[in-house]
Amino acid sequence: MNGRSVVALLWAAWASGCVYLNGIYNAQRRFEAGERARVEGRALEADSAYADAVRKAARAFRSEPDGEWADDALYLVGRALLRQGEYARALSALEHAAARTEDPDLRQGARLYQGIALAHVGDYARARPFLDEAVSVTTDPGRLAEAYLWRGRLGVRSGGVDEGLSDLDRAQQSDPGLRISVLFERLALGVATDDRAMAFGAAADLLDQPD
């Protein structure tokens, strides 16, 4: 192979890598936009951003399924599908990401979101170990807050009310942005158990929230 051929080959490899990394980067940006819109209550905008994230990350994965960033692409696909309510597809992507990655942080995240996907479909028995694991090992504040939130939800819905409420409080402490989600959980629990003090207190606090 002559020098010109070598240069052409290296250029092609570099260009392919740039396209791949740009795909992952753009998918991550769209996912983050979806997260902001979701928290701010802009549901249609959030769903559009998540759909873009799925498309871009899936395209990047298909282009290099054994590439350095392929696990990140699968993880992004799984989280974005989870936010869209595509729980079976999200679970499949997250399971594959967790099984194949050598990055312990990515594996922890993928296992947490597997637990959340299972909780969404009501499979509490399978969800609980994932959430317990996340609470015990996760150091990322955002993921820890989600782990507490979902473990709290499982608690109050499966009879462990005191433990569940404690986890909901921890979720709010870890991420004040979850305050409204926690208040809705308290409102629902108060109504379901005829605890008027809890229900009216949560409702009053919700009405005080500007958003």
Side-chain angles (χ1 to χ4, degrees), residues 43-189:
L44 291 177
E45 186 177 333
D47 192 62
S48 175
Y50 292 136
D52 286 345
V54 170
R55 284 194 295 270
K56 292 176 185 297
R59 187 183 304 122
F61 177 79
R62 287 193 299 268
S63 71
E64 289 194 43
D66 296 315
E68 181 181 358
W69 299 92
D71 300 341
D72 298 80
L74 273 179
Y75 182 45
L76 262 175
V77 167
R79 285 186 295 158
L81 287 171
L82 175 65
R83 298 304 197 209
Q84 289 186 291
E86 298 278 353
Y87 303 125
R89 294 174 63 202
L91 194 57
S92 177
L94 292 165
E95 285 174 344
H96 280 86
R100 55 179 282 159
T101 188
E102 296 181 1
D103 181 341
D105 184 66
L106 192 151
R107 183 180 299 111
Q108 288 174 13
R111 288 178 62 79
L112 163 63
Y113 291 110
Q114 285 180 65
I116 293 174
L118 290 166
H120 268 294
V121 299
D123 194 342
Y124 296 166
R126 290 177 62 201
R128 182 63 188 248
F130 286 107
L131 300 176
D132 286 342
E133 176 187 312
V135 165
S136 66
V137 303
T138 298
T139 57
D140 178 85
R143 292 209 305 250
L144 181 61
E146 283 205 84
Y148 275 128
L149 176 67
W150 279 95
R151 197 172 74 167
R153 285 172 168 165
L154 261 62
V156 299
R157 294 171 190 177
S158 57
V161 174
D162 290 340
E163 180 185 0
L165 288 173
S166 179
D167 278 338
L168 290 174
D169 288 340
R170 292 190 182 100
Q172 184 178 312
Q173 291 164 9
S174 298
D175 181 0
L178 293 177
R179 177 171 173 74
I180 290 176
S181 295
V182 169
L183 286 173
F184 271 117
E185 291 295 326
R186 287 183 169 275
L187 174 61
L189 179 63

